[in-house]
Amino acid sequence: MTAALNELPLALFTTLASIGAGAFIALACAFFTSKLNEEQLARTDKMALIPAIVVIVGFIAAFFHLANPAGAFGVFAGIGRSPMSNEILGGVLFAIVMVVYVIMGLAGKHTEGSRKVLSAVLAVLAVVFAILMGLAYSIDTIPTWNSPWPIAQVIGFALIGGTALGMLVLALSGALQDALEGSFKGVAIALAALGCALAVIGLAFMASSAGALANAVVTGSALLGGIMVCLIVSIVCLVLAFGSVLMATRNASATWPAIATILALAGILAGRFVFYALQISVGISF
């Protein structure tokens, strides 16, 4: 687990950024599937500051991974050929639109058109950002990472964590009850179910492939045994987060969305520890 702890800044970044970005997917779905009044929409626009802060804190955590934070802008030199540069570009584009959206919301400048357009753009950018976060780890020399499962995990994290946080924003805005009376209820359940499935399946298959690679290595087997606790914690928390989302669709208070968000946060962070612990390079034993 030492490798995972060494990557704590990146674990926090991918956890917080995926949850915060995913919340804007849920909010966009709410705007397009619900009939909320102007007061509810105005409060929701202001409460969108919450997932924005989560994303920003994630970016701040990522800076602690750099040996020299002053050289952070150098990553843009690899755009188009470096998966990590593409990830940062996707994150920056998402963050720019997010900041514009939030500033307009705090200033009360959103119209129905601007809200729907910007939220739709944010939702698309959030999905792209999640895909790029997963692709950043497609490294030929690390077979446990070089597969579709890391991408599936991050998309799943964004959907399950983002749905929970998005519903919390709506609840704190007094808009969740009305949103659930429309088709948003079904959409939220579908998003959370898909997210939970992608995250759990992605984690399970990656751990299984790592087990096959380390099968003949004693220290590798010991390592896999050590991360099993984190894997179980992650899966249990993610499943419970989905269950809490289901409860939130029946009770419009902020309690269940808050519980779902906390469980998703714990499950995703534990999942990221599993991910970084399974960094098995070609030709290198544990």
Side-chain angles (χ1 to χ4, degrees), residues 5 10 17 53 67-68 83 92-93 154 161 175 188 191 199 215 222 273 280 282:
L5 292 175
L10 288 181
I53 290 174
N68 179 17
V92 169
L93 290 176
V154 181
L191 287 175
N215 189 50
F273 279 135
I280 306 176
V282 173

Side-chain angles (χ1 to χ4, degrees), residues 51-204:
I53 290 174
V54 172
V55 172
I56 291 169
V57 172
F59 273 101
I60 292 173
F63 272 89
F64 287 93
H65 179 72
L66 300 173
N68 179 17
F73 292 103
V75 299
F76 292 107
I79 290 174
R81 56 183 175 78
S82 167
M84 184 167 291
S85 295
N86 294 337
E87 173 196 18
I88 298 301
L89 176 62
V92 169
L93 290 176
F94 173 84
I96 290 172
V97 179
M98 178 187 74
V99 169
V100 171
Y101 177 90
V102 171
I103 290 176
M104 289 181 65
L106 292 174
K109 298 297 184 181
H110 274 305
T111 63
E112 181 179 0
S114 69
R115 182 182 297 108
K116 285 188 173 182
V117 169
L118 285 176
S119 66
V121 172
L122 275 174
V124 172
L125 288 176
V127 174
V128 173
F129 184 25
I131 292 172
L132 292 175
M133 272 194 277
L135 283 172
Y137 297 95
S138 295
I139 302 172
D140 292 339
T141 56
I142 305 179
T144 45
W145 289 0
N146 191 31
S147 74
W149 303 122
I151 302 170
Q153 288 173 40
V154 181
I155 295 174
F157 295 155
L159 293 179
I160 180 66
T163 300
L165 183 56
M167 293 180 73
L168 178 59
V169 169
L170 290 169
L172 293 174
S173 305
L176 183 57
Q177 180 64 57
D178 287 346
L180 293 174
E181 291 177 359
S183 55
F184 176 69
K185 180 177 181 178
V187 172
I189 293 174
L191 287 175
L194 178 60
C196 184
L198 286 173
V200 170
I201 291 172
L203 283 166

Side-chain angles (χ1 to χ4, degrees), residues 27 47 62 65 72 74 112 121 141 150 191 198 231 236 251 255 276:
L27 290 176
M47 285 294 179
H65 179 72
E112 181 179 0
V121 172
T141 56
L191 287 175
L198 286 173
L231 179 61
V236 169
N251 185 334
T255 302
Y276 289 112

